Amino acid sequence: QVQLVESGGDLVQAGDSLRLSCTVSATLFRVIDMAWYRQSPGKQRELVAGITGTGSTTYSDSVKDRFFISRDNPKSTLNLQLNILKPEDTGVYYCNRYPRPFRLGGEDYWGQGTQVTVSS
């Protein structure tokens, strides 16, 4: 059984910072490659940043050098530091397995996400 609980989203101004966290209830979290995804208004969900079990990271071009992904394996948490936020960063942020989401009951499983809204 898997459970994903995202938190930390807020309404902020352009240029501000936020830190998102995700608590992951999954067996052997430490070996699972994880990622943060974002769904912006009117757009499909997209990959924002990924991290392997050993800490190698990847970022989308739009967030590179502004966002930083990290993980705490003993605490089974995934974090995302968002800096120099822009209005186009607005969206619901989700954590999940990378590159394919967790499956539950034969379907892709997603948590409730956390809303980030950046005003100009």
Side-chain angles (χ1 to χ4, degrees):
Q1 195 81 356
V2 63
Q3 187 175 27
L4 304 168
V5 180
E6 301 93 344
S7 63
D10 205 347
L11 169 61
V12 297
Q13 293 188 331
D16 285 352
S17 297
L18 276 178
R19 184 173 177 83
L20 307 183
S21 292
C22 175
T23 301
V24 182
S25 299
T27 303
L28 296 176
F29 169 76
R30 68 184 186 278
V31 301
I32 300 174
D33 296 345
M34 295 291 298
W36 282 96
Y37 302 82
R38 172 174 73 195
Q39 185 157 24
S40 300
K43 296 184 179 180
Q44 288 190 329
R45 190 154 29 205
E46 61 177 342
L47 175 71
V48 172
I51 186 168
T52 67
T54 54
S56 297
T57 58
T58 186
Y59 297 93
S60 69
D61 288 342
S62 64
V63 306
K64 199 171 295 183
D65 298 326
R66 296 190 299 120
F67 291 9
F68 299 94
I69 189 171
S70 62
R71 64 192 297 160
D72 186 333
N73 285 339
K75 295 183 178 179
S76 292
T77 58
L78 185 72
N79 303 301
L80 186 67
Q81 179 68 38
L82 295 71
N83 299 324
I84 317 175
L85 280 159
K86 304 176 180 180
E88 51 264 42
D89 295 320
T90 293
V92 181
Y93 285 70
Y94 302 87
C95 70
N96 214 318
R97 189 173 58 179
Y98 174 78
R100 282 180 287 275
F102 288 110
R103 301 278 290 179
L104 199 61
E107 297 180 348
D108 290 347
Y109 167 76
W110 293 89
Q112 84 288 349
T114 188
Q115 175 72 46
V116 173
T117 304
V118 185
S119 64
S120 57

